[in-house]
Amino acid sequence: MQEQEAELIGMHVGDGTLYRTNSGSLVWEIRGSVDEKEFYAYIAHLIKNVFNVEVKPKYRGINSYGIQTSNKKITNFFVQKGFRPGSKVYTVGIPEYIKNGCIEIKMAFVKGLFDTDGCVWFCKNNTKYSYYPKIEFSFASQNLLNDLFNVLENMNFRVHRWQNIRKDGISFKICLAGFKNLTKWMKEIKPANSKHIDRVEKGLLNKNKIKLKSVSKNV
């Protein structure tokens, strides 16, 4: 398996959909915010590299943007990789060929999953600045939670997981906290979605404020 294929599989597990239309056509779709046009251009480029197929991201509603295609090279790829049409929200996990793959395949998969279904944010951690980084995932599938936890631990990340009970059900969460995790993440996973990259750059500016504050106290 190529790394770019693994990345696409990560994207599909995170935010992709495979479904049949009323006419019986099989469709693959992935969509997100209208603010992520640059990222969907990146996905289109990835698809071109893997399948030699041109797809054009479009508006999929007032507030959503993404890719929709019935190209058989693309839809057959996901079927052959073990995905079936229909909802996968509560049952999806990481395929065995990813879990048993080399480190580069695992990193590419995690990159695709994070770019589509992960987040990074900075908490105040008892200060006035939002400076302390947390990389997080939230899933409806416990299978995906456990699979990702094991993959990340095997990649030597420090990972925490827990259940969050809400009125509408249970969500399963993973968190990688701290600067060591963030530095390793940006170096090895290398996110492609600019919303994550921009948030990290802005958050790290606040880290400098904390350092300056500590220095000023010691003067």
Side-chain angles (χ1 to χ4, degrees), residues 15-188:
D15 221 15
T17 306
L18 196 63
Y19 64 92
R20 290 197 181 277
T21 64
N22 292 334
S23 64
S25 297
L26 188 59
V27 177
W28 181 71
E29 182 176 312
I30 188 165
R31 63 168 70 185
S33 167
V34 294
D35 298 325
E36 297 178 88
K37 290 182 181 180
E38 182 181 346
F39 176 60
Y40 284 93
Y42 171 83
I43 298 177
H45 181 70
L46 199 62
I47 288 171
K48 173 66 175 176
N49 287 345
V50 174
F51 305 109
N52 196 28
V53 172
E54 299 277 358
V55 294
K56 186 176 181 180
K58 297 179 180 178
Y59 284 95
R60 298 295 169 188
I62 298 175
N63 297 314
S64 67
Y65 189 83
I67 294 168
Q68 183 186 72
T69 179
S70 58
N71 184 281
K72 289 186 178 180
K73 282 187 178 181
I74 298 172
T75 57
N76 287 344
F77 168 78
F78 289 108
V79 171
Q80 291 165 3
K81 294 304 180 185
F83 299 99
R84 296 291 178 263
S87 176
K88 59 179 176 57
V89 173
Y90 298 100
T91 58
V92 71
I94 299 179
E96 291 298 322
Y97 52 83
I98 298 291
K99 291 189 286 187
N100 296 329
C102 65
I103 188 66
E104 290 80 9
I105 292 298
K106 292 176 183 176
M107 287 191 296
F109 172 88
V110 172
K111 176 180 179 178
L113 181 63
F114 176 68
D115 276 334
T116 53
D117 205 24
C119 72
V120 58
W121 64 288
F122 290 77
C123 68
K124 293 185 177 180
N125 203 23
N126 298 318
T127 71
K128 63 184 293 187
Y129 301 109
S130 299
Y131 83 100
Y132 188 75
K134 292 188 175 183
I135 297 164
E136 292 189 353
F137 295 85
S138 181
F139 306 123
S141 168
Q142 190 170 11
N143 293 332
L144 185 52
L145 170 93
N146 293 332
D147 286 348
L148 182 60
F149 181 87
N150 291 332
V151 165
L152 293 175
E153 272 208 327
N154 289 337
M155 294 167 64
N156 295 317
F157 284 102
R158 184 167 51 86
V159 196
H160 301 280
R161 61 182 166 180
W162 70 96
Q163 296 182 15
N164 186 28
I165 301 176
R166 308 176 306 190
K167 290 183 179 180
D168 58 344
I170 299 174
S171 64
F172 301 97
K173 293 184 174 291
I174 278 180
C175 178
L176 300 87
F179 294 103
K180 287 184 179 180
N181 269 331
L182 180 64
T183 299
K184 180 178 170 67
W185 192 268
M186 299 304 289
K187 181 180 179 180
E188 297 181 5

